[in-house]
């Protein structure tokens, strides 16, 4: 199954495509800024706005060592490191995302603060109790065994470590099949969208204390409204279509359709490893 997931996301020529889009806009890796990269740095509902809103809750300090589970190209890792001056280690299954992410980290001169690793969230190459805190944005939809996932996250966090999950979960309509493709999967075969209670159960059973669990319709509504209003404006040099590939339009339309039908909703869950 992990092969299917990384095949879905695989983007071997991503940096070349980003360089070409930058060049069309009169920019280059030497002149690019975090703001120009921002539209492709967050591959989740709400983009940078969601990242800023959610990370605030983690109370990140400069001395913290943070973990970004399923970091993609590492955009959230870079943004957190730049905002909070913490160090971040990201891990992701998709090798081409990690390779592109290392280049983007170099471009933004954050290589002393951000390290990206290729590997599975179910078996992370980190020692026990390495991290002060962590987050996982829009990854659990690709992972069937959520218990194994949260057991592993629990292992690598220090006692007292905070963890934030922000995933697409089943909405009030839990049974109608989703319309595919969606950004995380081409078909039901690699999609494991579950209701929030299954996350809560798996987190608690791993040992976490769950402190908050809430659907973030506010973030989703603002995100879809912004996307609709931007449709008539000039496109920024970089968009997530660079990462989502040729079917980007269908994936985004189905994401919105499934959300509006109540089949899915983004949910944020805050939890802590007890001391
Ligand atoms: C929708 S993207 C989200 C990326 C990033 N968290 C963000 O919000 O921008 C989902 C990511 O999860 C990764 N992923 C899926 N299953 C994984 C696993 N078992 N271990 C590590 N990464 C995984 C994929 O490779 C992909 O990069």
């Amino acid at each position: 199954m992990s092969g299917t997931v990384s095949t879905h996301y695989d983007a071997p020529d991503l940096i070349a495509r980003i360089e070409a889009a930058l060049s069309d806009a009169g920019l280059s890796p030497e002149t690019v800024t975090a703001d120009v990269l921002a539209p492709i740095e967050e591959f989740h509902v709400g983009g940078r706005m969601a990242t800023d809103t959610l990370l605030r809750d983690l109370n990140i300090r400069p001395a913290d060592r943070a973990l970004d589970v399923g970091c993609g190209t590492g955009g959230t890792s870079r943004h957190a490191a730049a905002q909070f001056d913490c160090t971040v280690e990201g891990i992701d299954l998709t090798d081409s995302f990690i390779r592109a992410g290392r280049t983007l980290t170099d471009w933004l001169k954050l290589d002393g603060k951000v390290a990206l690793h290729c590997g599975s969230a179910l078996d992370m190459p980190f020692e026990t109790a390495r991290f002060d805190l962590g987050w996982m944005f829009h990854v659990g939809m690709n992972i069937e065994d959520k218990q194994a996932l949260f057991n592993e996250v629990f292992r690598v966090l220090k006692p007292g470590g905070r963890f934030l999950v922000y995933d697409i979960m089943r909405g009030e309509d839990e049974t109608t099949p989703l319309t595919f493709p969606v950004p995380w999967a081409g078909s039901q075969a690699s999609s494991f969208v579950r209701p929030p209670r299954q996350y809560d159960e798996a987190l608690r059973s791993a040992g976490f204390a769950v402190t908050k669990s809430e659907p973030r319709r506010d973030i989703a509504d603002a995100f879809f409204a912004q996307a609709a209003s931007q449709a008539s404006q000039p496109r920024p040099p970089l968009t997530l279509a660079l990462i989502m590939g040729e079917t980007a339009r269908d994936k985004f339309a189905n994401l919105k359709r499934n959300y509006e039908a109540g089949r899915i909703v983004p949910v944020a869950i805050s939890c802590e490893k007890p001391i």
Side-chain angles (χ1 to χ4, degrees):
M1 182 52 63
S2 61
T4 318
V5 170
S6 44
T7 305
H8 171 77
Y9 289 108
D10 194 25
D13 56 350
L14 184 54
I15 286 294
R17 281 190 268 146
I18 294 172
E19 283 182 324
L22 287 176
S23 167
D24 288 347
L27 296 163
S28 71
E30 290 73 36
T31 56
V32 77
T33 60
D35 284 345
V36 171
L37 287 181
I40 58 163
E41 289 284 79
E42 322 280 351
F43 193 178
H44 47 258
V45 168
R48 171 101 348 134
M49 173 265 290
T51 301
D52 282 330
T53 305
L54 295 166
L55 290 188
R56 219 174 287 136
D57 260 12
L58 274 170
N59 193 19
I60 306 176
R61 293 166 302 231
D64 284 333
R65 181 183 281 166
L67 168 67
D68 183 354
V69 177
C71 61
T73 59
T76 307
S77 302
R78 282 184 289 280
H79 187 60
Q83 292 300 300
F84 303 106
D85 199 26
C86 58
T87 55
V88 186
E89 292 190 65
I91 180 160
D92 199 282
L93 208 50
T94 305
D95 179 60
S96 54
F97 276 3
I98 291 298
R99 281 188 284 111
R102 288 178 183 148
T103 301
L104 297 173
T105 302
D106 286 344
W107 288 1
L108 294 185
K109 302 183 177 49
L110 284 166
D111 39 313
K113 288 281 182 187
V114 175
L116 303 179
H117 309 268
C118 187
S120 169
L122 300 174
D123 182 19
M124 294 191 263
F126 304 127
E127 78 269 19
T128 297
R130 177 171 177 78
F131 296 99
D132 298 288
L133 61 99
W135 60 84
M136 183 184 92
F137 285 6
H138 283 37
V139 181
M141 303 93 75
N142 286 128
I143 299 180
E144 185 167 22
D145 191 346
K146 294 187 180 29
Q147 191 59 64
L149 167 67
F150 293 133
N151 288 348
E152 180 64 349
V153 172
F154 187 86
R155 180 185 72 76
V156 300
L157 286 176
K158 292 179 185 170
R162 289 98 67 207
F163 192 67
L164 176 69
V165 177
Y166 176 55
D167 265 2
I168 299 287
M169 302 188 194
R170 286 305 305 230
E172 62 268 22
D173 174 357
E174 288 188 13
T175 50
T176 305
L178 305 187
T179 302
F180 289 92
V182 287
W184 64 90
S187 72
Q188 183 60 54
S190 52
S191 179
F192 306 100
V193 180
R194 299 290 183 258
R197 67 174 176 284
Q198 285 192 22
Y199 277 73
D200 278 30
E201 282 164 17
L203 284 162
R204 287 180 208 279
S205 146
F208 283 105
V210 176
T211 51
K212 192 159 62 171
S213 175
E214 49 182 5
R216 296 306 304 249
R217 291 192 183 82
D218 53 336
I219 292 177
D221 291 342
F223 175 66
F224 289 122
Q226 189 192 34
S229 75
Q230 281 174 347
S232 56
Q233 290 168 15
R235 285 159 72 89
L238 305 177
T239 69
L240 271 182
L242 279 170
I243 291 183
M244 285 201 279
E246 285 168 11
T247 52
R249 201 178 279 272
D250 290 343
K251 289 171 181 163
F252 186 82
N254 288 334
L255 176 73
K256 188 163 181 270
R257 187 169 296 137
N258 287 318
Y259 171 68
E260 287 174 351
R263 296 174 208 141
I264 57 170
V265 64
V267 176
I269 303 179
S270 304
C271 58
E272 204 169 300
K273 177 169 177 171
I275 293 180

